């Protein structure tokens, strides 16, 4: 049975924001600059699955900023609304940068070629020809995604440990009802986009065999460790 | 591979320029124009909800000798819950190094013990003036700080920039907050650098917070390292993926 998209599900526990609190925050917001956040300029909608369980598939709204031409850093939310939950992070690198990663690191990164060519990944609100100019580049990139909040399980809070996420790599993996749901919700046609994106090519050197978990699942396991402590054993007086 | 690996496997540094810069070509005009036009068409609502910038410090729970200055861009979702992308600076080219979630005391008390172990308290950080809101007058800060002094945070760091990683490598690290006792004590030089950057006066900040009522004690399940003398690491394990079609 498909675990689809974003459940209406578990509300975040807590009282609605009190007036006093929000007034303070408005004042604060007006005074401070939010430069790193203001750099976020792009919204991409796509789907991820858990790298240990492809049957759990989650709608992922990426809000991306360019560090430079070859590297993007993205905040992942569960919707495009003002009350969206911040559920994860994705880093996106060019093929060139991916090749500089140690071999032990490469499996944590997934390819984007299928997501782009299939029409699954799209930029809401942006006309096709404009989207495709950027998606041509995205198709050649690799991404590394962690989710911290398993909303598909109905968690009302970000519980547990981070999850490595994967991206779709071929037909048959994404639940058809999810594809239909996306098309209805955002008024897009994946089929039509697929045709228009046929000319788009993936990484120059093909998808690297070490990417996408080397074809295996991946999971993060928590382990306790002894603290490494500061060298000085004399207690410092904190002034 | 583990988040606690001392040195990641080697990779080439970015050629020329500062070792701080993320490797990769500078943005071309084409990309910039594309970004601008897309930006005008998209509403980007979730990231327009930032209400405050916090500058504070965090420590790696598997290695308390590694301490970093952190910048939170805080969004409040309700009276008891906040979510914060975390960056390594407040400049436009800051690197996104993780996410911190913050909950009220009430919410924290209701979490199961095995979850509480992953969270840290904020009382010391706030009372001691390590937690700051650059450019915001003390009076305005105070209201919010009275809320937050009793809160708890959970911070996963996904890019170990202090280790010199040119790109985000490895598994996320669980981070902890500064405390007044042993492992949790901050290196004074880091605080000095930060305070000088923003023109903070340690004495003034602490005085301005004297009236803030801290909890009698923080929940002993938080700041796990105090009881356990140890922290946490995440290991990346290869497993059989549950699939519904061939992969990859």
């Amino acid at each position: 049975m498909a675990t689809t998209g974003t459940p209406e599900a578990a509300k975040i526990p807590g009282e609605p924001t009190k007036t006093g609190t929000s007034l303070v925050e408005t004042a604060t917001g007006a005074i401070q600059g939010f430069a790193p956040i203001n750099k976020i300029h792009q919204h991409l909608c796509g789907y991820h699955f858990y790298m240990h369980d492809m049957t759990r598939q989650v709608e992922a709204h990426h809000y991306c900023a360019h560090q430079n031409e070859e590297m993007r850093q993205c905040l992942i939310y569960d919707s495009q609304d003002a009350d969206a939950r911040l559920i994860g992070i994705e880093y996106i690198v060019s093929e060139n940068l991916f090749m500089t990663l140690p071999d032990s690191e490469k499996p944590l990164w997934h390819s984007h070629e299928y997501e782009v060519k299939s029409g699954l990944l799209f930029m809401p609100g942006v006309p096709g020809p404009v989207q495709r100019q950027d998606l041509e580049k995205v198709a050649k990139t690799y991404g590394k995604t962690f989710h911290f909040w398993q909303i598909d399980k109905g968690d009302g809070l970000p519980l547990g440990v981070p999850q490595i996420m994967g991206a779709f790599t071929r037909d048959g993996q994404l639940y058809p009802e999810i594809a239909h749901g996306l098309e209805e919700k955002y008024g897009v046609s994946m089929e039509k986009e697929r045709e228009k994106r046929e000319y788009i090519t993936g990484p120059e050197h093909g998808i690297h065999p070490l990417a996408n978990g080397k074809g295996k699942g991946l999971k993060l396991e928590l382990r306790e460790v002894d603290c490494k402590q500061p060298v000085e054993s004399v207690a410092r007086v904190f002034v | 591979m583990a988040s606690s690996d001392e040195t990641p496997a080697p990779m080439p540094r970015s050629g020329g320029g500062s070792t701080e810069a993320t490797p990769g070509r500078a943005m071309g005009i084409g990309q910039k124009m594309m970004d601008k036009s897309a930006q005008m068409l998209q509403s980007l609502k979730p990231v327009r909800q930032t209400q405050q910038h916090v500058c504070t410090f965090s420590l790696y729970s598997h290695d308390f000798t590694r301490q970093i200055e952190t910048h939170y861009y805080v969004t409040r979702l309700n009276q008891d819950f906040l979510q914060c992308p975390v960056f390594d600076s407040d400049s436009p080219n800051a690197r996104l190094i993780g996410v911190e979630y913050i909950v009220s005391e009430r919410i924290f008390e209701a979490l199961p013990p095995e979850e509480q172990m992953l969270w840290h308290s904020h009382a010391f950080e706030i009372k001691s003036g390590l937690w700051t809101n650059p450019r915001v007058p003390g009076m305005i800060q105070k209201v919010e700080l009275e809320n937050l002094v009793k809160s708890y945070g959970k911070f996963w760091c996904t890019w170990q920039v202090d280790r010199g990683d040119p790109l985000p490598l490895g598994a996320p690290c669980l981070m902890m907050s500064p405390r007044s006792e042993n492992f949790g004590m901050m290196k004074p030089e880091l605080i000095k650098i930060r305070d000088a950057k923003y023109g903070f006066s340690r004495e003034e900040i602490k005085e301005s917070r004297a009236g803030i009522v801290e909890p009698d004690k923080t929940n002993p399940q938080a700041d796990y390292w105090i009881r356990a003398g140890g922290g946490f690491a995440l290991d990346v394990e290869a497993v059989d993926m549950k699939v519904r079609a061939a992969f990859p």
Side-chain angles (χ1 to χ4, degrees), chain A residues 7 9 11-12 32 37 39-41 47 53 57 87 92 97 122 129 131 144-145 166 178 182 197 211 213 215 231 236:
Chain A
K11 265 181 51 166
I12 305 164
Q32 297 183 303
I37 296 287
K39 225 166 143 214
I40 295 173
H41 59 80
Y47 253 80
D53 186 353
Q57 305 181 356
I87 61 173
I92 298 178
L97 286 185
F122 63 99
Q131 280 196 50
K144 183 183 195 184
T145 306
I178 287 185
L182 270 182
R197 296 182 192 182
V231 171
R236 282 168 295 180

Side-chain angles (χ1 to χ4, degrees), chain B residues 44-129:
Chain B
L44 308 179
K45 275 202 205 123
V47 297
R48 295 289 172 255
Q49 310 304 316
T50 308
Q51 287 131 355
Q52 50 174 314
H53 162 218
V54 170
C55 176
T56 183
F57 298 91
S58 298
L59 303 86
Y60 287 81
S61 76
H62 69 275
D63 183 355
F64 280 68
T65 64
R66 290 178 55 197
Q67 308 179 344
I68 55 174
E69 182 184 306
T70 49
H71 294 260
Y72 301 173
Y73 289 85
V74 184
T75 294
R76 175 179 289 285
L77 288 191
N78 66 33
Q79 192 63 29
D80 299 87
F81 183 86
L82 305 99
Q83 54 192 19
C84 325
V86 185
F87 293 85
D88 66 338
S89 81
D90 61 0
S91 69
N93 64 2
R95 288 167 288 196
L96 175 63
I97 62 171
V99 173
E100 168 143 347
Y101 299 99
I102 298 176
V103 298
S104 65
E105 187 175 29
R106 202 166 63 84
I107 299 294
F108 182 79
E109 298 295 333
L111 293 171
E114 62 273 18
E115 176 64 32
Q116 290 177 331
M117 292 189 327
L118 304 177
W119 295 69
H120 55 263
S121 60
H122 288 133
F124 172 76
E125 209 175 334
I126 287 176
K127 289 288 288 183
S128 65

Side-chain angles (χ1 to χ4, degrees), chain A residues 86-198:
Chain A
L86 175 59
I87 61 173
I89 279 181
E90 176 156 352
Y91 298 100
I92 298 178
V93 299
S94 66
E95 184 177 10
N96 282 344
L97 286 185
F98 176 82
M99 299 302 275
T100 68
L101 295 170
D103 282 357
S104 55
E105 173 69 25
K106 290 185 171 89
L108 277 60
W109 297 71
H110 55 262
S111 54
H112 287 132
E113 179 178 351
Y114 173 79
E115 264 191 292
V116 170
K117 287 182 70 75
S118 65
L120 175 58
L121 190 66
F122 63 99
M123 293 169 62
V126 179
V130 179
Q131 280 196 50
R132 271 173 248 131
Q133 280 195 299
D134 195 40
L135 292 173
E136 284 167 21
K137 296 186 189 175
V138 176
K140 296 173 171 17
T141 62
Y142 293 84
K144 183 183 195 184
T145 306
F146 296 109
H147 279 201
F148 308 111
W149 197 338
Q150 299 185 54
I151 51 162
D152 65 306
K153 264 170 73 179
D155 287 354
L157 289 168
L159 305 174
V161 301
Q163 306 290 315
I164 306 185
M165 306 302 282
F168 297 98
T169 53
R170 66 171 75 209
D171 287 343
Q173 293 172 349
L174 178 70
Y175 289 105
E177 53 268 41
I178 287 185
H180 295 145
L182 270 182
E183 290 179 319
E184 265 189 48
K185 195 156 137 193
Y186 297 104
V188 297
S189 161
M190 277 175 60
E191 208 38 61
K192 289 213 181 99
E193 265 313 296
R194 186 185 284 240
E195 282 167 28
K196 297 193 178 137
R197 296 182 192 182
E198 235 186 284

